Amino acid sequence: MVAHLVRLKLTLLRNGFRRSPWQLVGVILGGLYALGLLAMLITGLFFLSYTDPATARTAVILGGAAAFVGWALIPLVAFGVDMTLDPARFVTFAVPMPQLLAGLAVGGVLGIPGIITLLAALGQAAAWWQHPAAMIAAVPCAVLAVLTAVVLSRLTTSATTALASSRRFKDASGVIAIVPLVLLGPISFGIMEGLRSSQDFLPVLADTLSWTPLGSIWAVPGDLATGSWGAAAAKLAISLLALAVLAWLWKLSLARALVTPAHNAVASRKAGNLGLFARVPATPAGAVAARALTYWLKDPRYGASLIVVPLIPVVMFFGVSQAGDLTPMLWLGPILAFLLAFSISADISYDNTAFALHLAAGVSGLADRTGRAAACALFALPATVLAAVIPVALMGRWELLPAVLGLSLGTLLSGLGLSSVVSARYTYNVPLPGESPFKTPPGSGVRMMVVQCLGMVALVLLVLPEGLLALAFVLTGQPLWGWLALAVGVVLGSVLLAAGLRIGGRWYDRRGPELLQAVSVNK
Amino acid sequence: MAAHEPALSIRGLAKAFGGKIAVNGVSLDVPAGSFYGLVGPNGAGKTTTLSMATGLLRPDYGQVVVHGVDVWSQPLQAKRLMGILPDGVRLFDRLTGEQLVTYAGLLRGMDRQTVAGRVADLLRALDLAKDAGTLVVDYSAGMTKKIALASALIHAPRLLVLDEPFESVDPVSAANIRDILHNYVDSGGTVIVSSHVMDLVQRMCDHVAVIAGGHVLAAGTVDEVRAGESLEDRFVELVGGRNQAEGLEWLRTS
């Protein structure tokens, strides 16, 4: 039975690759990246042990405890990260509980996060190469640690199955989880600052953690290396006990999840609230715009990219203010404009087969393109203007405003035109409607990256005129060049937008059924 | 225009997916004002045929004409005449039921007053009024089917193409939907439904076509096709593949 579950997991993994060679390329690239990080980590530990075993011990304990926390919490916020062995799918099979537990645990290790964690845990043995006993002990400890991590994550998954089946919770957690990810830079910088000012704090924290289940298993080899045999034995006992308790809790919650099918009670609501549909012009393009805007607000896949918008200035400001020079902040407008304009380039992919309604209703390509671009422009335009004005205001250099604004608006308008063409031609594998914004099918990122890079190159060419004028202004300091950049940005941008809507619309009219075919492959 | 011009005329329609032939030369005439059933086993090519007939899937060969308008050379005009309920596609399910049907109406270029009035009528007729403000993603399977049907009816098409319209719909709603469809046919509309519930097709439709393996095996009025037998027996006879009840001797409880 255990072998069956493991084989099921491997088959699912392999079949996933078989559907698209791009996925395989993506996984290989991702794997190489992770392996590179891993090699650096192990080399670091190796050299650290040369100079300072105590520091190596602290690093291993803290890193290990962080890994445990990650394994426990990530399934909570990122639903569908790896639900291939979701307990809910085994409800109808009469698999004996012990075998189901063992199979799910081993299946959980197989998969990129599990394998990387295992390799990293085994790699810590390198830190103890001067102490043979500690190095040998590190291997079983690593296996035990990974098992604990997997059981921990399975426990949170099965304990929150009921919660996870609520759509509202899924939607909210998917969007909110983006915030710490985007702010990773500032947050880790803050932590580093804190650490620098309290260097003595870390060893103390590590020592404390080493007596808790979070750090105990990671501390065993280090304690052996420093000769504290008693402490090592005690910590091993703590770890084993913790694993047993976790496994028991997991068994309980799994048993409960298996007999409590997911349900989703929603209060029904009467008619009368058309929302945005009551506020747009009653034309096909207006309806498309209302629908797209409703999705920006209600679909977590769009919400996730919307919530990034106010965070980007924060991240940039943080990075720039370290150096004390705000000049790079002037790029905020064009960068934000590019991101917002390009965010609609995968619009039809996001629709998935719901796009059939547009096709069945015979919406003209121009109306479809116009509606989607208008929905994006409605918030992207004010956001871009603000992003152009705020840095200039912060620096108090208003003479820069026309050039910056011209480049920003030019980028936004030309970008919207470009996106309107791109999304009528290319579709990507994106998270399906209702899935977590995190659940990118593995490897799909590569194709998206290629299209985005090409798009960026094309956009740079499209905004070259206003870019050159802005450059001329910077070089000469003649205000005339700045004003020319603004005029060209707005006029040329509008022309390119109109052209993009038309060309994209014509492609859409010609290739509607093919687009539907392309998005229906991803399901 | 001839009075007996068919509502839908399909000629030599064929489609292959990566070497596997799904539809192999299907020709059908659906008379105007008929209630036409399309039956066939799973994988017979019903959905593929209907997708090509409605302009959702480009055929490799063949021609489709709706009330004299060629679907693949004048798609926008043809789609105005058709109401389509595709099977197995998603809906814009982050809209409320009311918003979704309104959206379908506005997409077709209808004016706001007409849309609002028809949406209210449709929601009432399909027994969805009390859930009109609920997001479609929170609907049950049957409610989802009904709201999709409402989206197909909103522009009062002359031809309705419904792929598996009764799947997971409760008996009461199914009866209501049948009434709506019968009224629609009585007032001159044409309906094509695909189904694999023979009994339902025999009671509801006046014409039927049997499709299997991408071919039309029989087509005509229900009485012609069933030739005195029940439609179900006739269907099994035509399609074949019936296993005699042997080989599962172990599946006996006594």
Side-chain angles (χ1 to χ4, degrees):
Chain A
M1 191 62 226
V2 176
H4 278 125
L5 285 174
V6 170
R7 205 173 311 135
L8 171 66
K9 169 88 187 193
L10 288 176
T11 312
L12 287 169
L13 214 59
R14 197 184 54 216
N15 288 355
F17 296 148
R18 202 178 283 166
R19 276 175 64 183
S20 151
W22 279 109
Q23 289 201 358
L24 196 59
V25 172
V27 168
I28 289 172
L29 287 181
L32 284 177
Y33 178 71
L35 282 179
L37 283 185
L38 211 58
M40 274 166 55
L41 195 72
I42 292 171
T43 324
L45 279 176
F46 179 81
F47 284 109
L48 200 57
S49 69
Y50 243 128
T51 53
D52 190 0
T55 313
R57 179 173 168 274
T58 306
V60 168
I61 294 175
L62 290 180
F68 275 2
V69 173
W71 273 87
L73 293 187
I74 288 174
L76 277 184
V77 290
F79 286 101
V81 163
D82 181 13
M83 295 303 260
T84 40
L85 294 184
D86 184 357
R89 299 188 182 177
F90 294 94
V91 167
T92 53
F93 297 97
V95 184
M97 186 54 84
Q99 298 177 11
L100 182 61
L101 289 175
L104 289 179
V106 177
V109 179
L110 296 172
I112 290 180
I115 289 170
I116 295 291
T117 313
L118 183 63
L119 288 178
L122 286 173
Q124 60 136 331
W128 315 116
W129 64 283
Q130 287 164 319
H131 309 271
M135 191 165 128
I136 292 167
V139 175
C141 283
V143 175
L144 210 61
V146 173
L147 211 56
T148 312
V150 170
V151 169
L152 196 60
S153 86
R154 292 282 146 189
L155 172 63
T156 40
T157 316
S158 60
T160 55
T161 305
L163 195 59
S165 67
S166 139
R167 185 184 54 74
R168 269 168 216 285
F169 181 77
K170 261 192 233 179
D171 285 4
S173 67
V175 173
I176 291 166
I178 295 276
V179 178
L181 271 186
V182 173
L183 294 180
L184 207 59
I187 288 174
S188 55
F189 185 84
I191 292 174
M192 298 278 259
E193 276 294 274
L195 293 185
R196 207 174 299 155
S197 56
S198 60
Q199 216 145 39
D200 312 327
F201 171 65
L202 282 188
V204 178
L205 178 66
D207 268 335
T208 318
L209 281 177
S210 78
W211 288 103
T212 70
L214 273 182
S216 56
I217 192 67
W218 304 101
V220 174
D223 282 354
L224 286 177
T226 49
S228 331
W229 296 83
K235 284 169 188 174
L236 185 63
I238 292 177
S239 317
L240 288 173
L241 187 67
L243 180 58
V245 171
L246 284 175
W248 181 68
L249 286 175
W250 178 32
K251 187 188 142 202
L252 284 188
S253 69
L254 187 61
R256 207 178 44 117
L258 286 183
V259 293
T260 323
H263 62 95
N264 198 0
V266 181
S268 55
R269 264 177 235 172
K270 283 194 186 307
N273 185 9
L274 276 177
L276 292 163
F277 286 93
R279 298 208 179 83
V280 293
T283 60
V288 172
R291 204 276 303 164
L293 270 176
T294 310
Y295 264 59
W296 277 100
L297 298 173
K298 283 205 179 146
D299 187 328
R301 297 170 305 157
Y302 284 97
S305 42
L306 205 56
I307 204 167
V308 171
V309 170
L311 295 180
I312 288 173
V314 175
V315 173
M316 262 185 102
F317 181 75
F318 196 85
V320 169
S321 64
Q322 298 302 318
D325 178 13
L326 287 181
T327 316
M329 280 290 279
L330 293 174
W331 285 102
L332 182 61
I335 288 176
L336 204 62
F338 168 72
L339 290 176
L340 285 173
F342 232 73
S343 64
I344 58 165
S345 67
D347 237 19
I348 290 182
S349 311
Y350 277 131
D351 289 355
N352 203 263
T353 48
F355 174 62
L357 179 63
H358 285 215
L359 204 55
V363 183
S364 81
L366 187 61
D368 176 283
R369 306 285 87 194
T370 310
R372 291 174 197 266
C376 184
L378 204 64
F379 58 86
L381 203 59
T384 303
V385 170
L386 277 181
V389 171
I390 288 173
V392 173
L394 281 178
M395 295 167 68
R397 297 185 56 190
W398 292 100
E399 75 276 10
L400 297 173
L401 187 59
V404 173
L405 201 56
L407 192 55
S408 304
L409 289 176
T411 307
L412 179 68
L413 294 170
S414 322
L416 285 175
L418 187 64
S419 288
S420 300
V421 177
V422 169
S423 88
R425 180 65 189 81
Y426 300 100
T427 54
Y428 330 94
N429 284 342
V430 294
L432 299 177
E435 275 183 356
S436 155
F438 285 102
K439 190 176 177 180
T440 29
S444 65
V446 175
R447 185 185 158 98
M448 196 147 180
M449 238 145 61
V450 170
V451 174
Q452 291 224 335
C453 283
L454 290 179
M456 192 131 72
V457 171
L459 190 57
V460 167
L461 291 178
L462 293 179
V463 299
L464 209 53
E466 54 264 44
L468 288 176
L469 287 169
L471 185 67
F473 165 71
V474 173
L475 292 179
T476 62
Q478 295 280 338
L480 175 67
W481 295 114
W483 288 107
L484 273 178
L486 177 59
V488 170
V490 172
V491 174
L492 182 65
S494 307
V495 170
L496 287 174
L497 174 58
L501 294 177
R502 256 167 221 294
I503 297 169
R506 213 172 302 142
W507 266 0
Y508 172 106
D509 287 336
R510 221 168 29 221
R511 300 188 68 256
E514 281 71 23
L515 276 174
L516 180 63
Q517 272 293 97
V519 291
S520 60
V521 172
N522 178 23
K523 65 179 174 190
Chain B
M1 286 283 186
H4 299 293
E5 175 198 65
L8 173 70
S9 161
I10 295 175
R11 287 287 165 271
L13 214 50
K15 180 78 189 178
F17 293 108
K20 188 176 169 293
I21 295 172
V23 173
N24 193 359
V26 165
S27 297
L28 278 180
D29 276 317
V30 177
S34 65
F35 201 137
Y36 206 102
L38 198 60
V39 297
N42 298 328
K46 299 185 298 271
T47 296
T48 312
T49 304
L50 292 183
S51 298
M52 290 191 287
T54 49
L56 297 183
L57 177 68
R58 200 181 298 279
D60 293 341
Y61 300 100
Q63 195 191 22
V64 185
V65 177
V66 174
H67 286 292
V69 182
D70 188 304
V71 172
W72 287 98
S73 62
Q74 292 170 287
L76 296 190
Q77 288 87 324
K79 282 168 185 171
R80 225 165 276 155
L81 301 170
M82 285 189 283
I84 308 167
L85 174 72
D87 187 36
V89 306
R90 291 165 190 275
L91 300 174
F92 286 107
D93 57 13
R94 300 275 153 167
L95 304 180
T96 67
E98 188 188 17
Q99 284 177 329
L100 181 65
V101 184
T102 307
Y103 185 43
L106 293 177
L107 277 185
R108 301 215 178 238
M110 297 161 63
D111 69 82
R112 206 190 290 279
Q113 268 77 34
T114 317
V115 170
R118 288 188 186 176
V119 167
D121 290 345
L122 281 168
L123 291 175
R124 200 169 336 107
L126 291 167
D127 197 22
L128 286 171
K130 69 178 192 311
D131 292 302
T134 308
L135 293 191
V136 174
V137 68
D138 293 326
Y139 274 12
S140 70
M143 289 159 77
T144 309
K145 210 58 161 183
K146 288 195 282 178
I147 205 76
L149 181 63
S151 312
L153 291 172
I154 182 84
H155 60 296
R158 292 178 65 189
L159 169 68
L160 260 183
V161 182
L162 312 176
D163 198 355
E164 298 284 357
F166 297 105
E167 216 174 36
S168 55
V169 173
D170 66 87
V172 178
S173 300
N176 286 345
I177 293 174
R178 276 203 304 277
D179 284 348
I180 294 171
L181 295 180
H182 277 299
N183 284 337
Y184 172 77
V185 170
D186 290 344
S187 68
T190 311
V191 177
I192 309 170
V193 294
S194 82
S195 179
H196 42 243
V197 185
M198 298 304 142
D199 194 38
L200 184 80
V201 172
Q202 183 176 344
R203 274 186 294 127
M204 188 173 67
C205 301
D206 46 43
H207 286 66
V208 69
V210 180
I211 292 194
H215 293 276
V216 178
L217 299 183
T221 65
V222 172
D223 290 333
E224 280 169 17
V225 170
R226 69 191 178 103
E229 295 176 71
S230 82
L231 186 60
E232 180 147 10
D233 290 342
R234 181 74 184 127
F235 176 82
V236 171
E237 202 175 291
L238 280 168
V239 172
R242 186 86 166 79
N243 295 321
Q244 297 309 314
E246 56 184 50
L248 293 184
E249 287 83 2
W250 49 266
L251 191 59
R252 287 187 189 157
T253 47
S254 59

